[in-house]
Amino acid sequence: MTQRTPPSLMEGIKQGIEAAGQALLEDSRRTGRPLATCRDGKVVLVDADGRLLPEPPRTNAAH
């Protein structure tokens, strides 16, 4: 029986980030909810395939 070398801390972090990102993409595809990302210094909404979505209309409602 061979022993597997445990992943380094950085490799474990990388695997965790990739798994979380994959789960977000799958949820976005399943529900149709957009994802937020940063492009050209602005936060924008994209679909699960990375296509830019139109900005929602802004309101000036006072609360």
Side-chain angles (χ1 to χ4, degrees), residues 1-62:
M1 187 163 123
T2 59
Q3 278 188 325
R4 239 179 83 193
T5 305
S8 69
L9 178 59
M10 290 306 294
E11 185 62 28
I13 291 169
K14 180 181 174 189
Q15 290 174 359
I17 291 170
E18 288 174 352
Q22 188 63 38
L24 284 172
L25 285 174
E26 289 173 9
D27 184 64
S28 179
R29 284 190 177 104
R30 185 176 47 78
T31 64
R33 284 188 300 229
L35 299 166
T37 189
C38 184
R39 290 198 181 160
D40 299 323
K42 288 178 56 183
V43 175
V44 296
L45 296 177
V46 296
D47 66 12
D49 295 317
R51 294 183 294 244
L52 190 62
L53 298 175
E55 287 188 34
R58 295 180 185 217
T59 61
N60 291 331

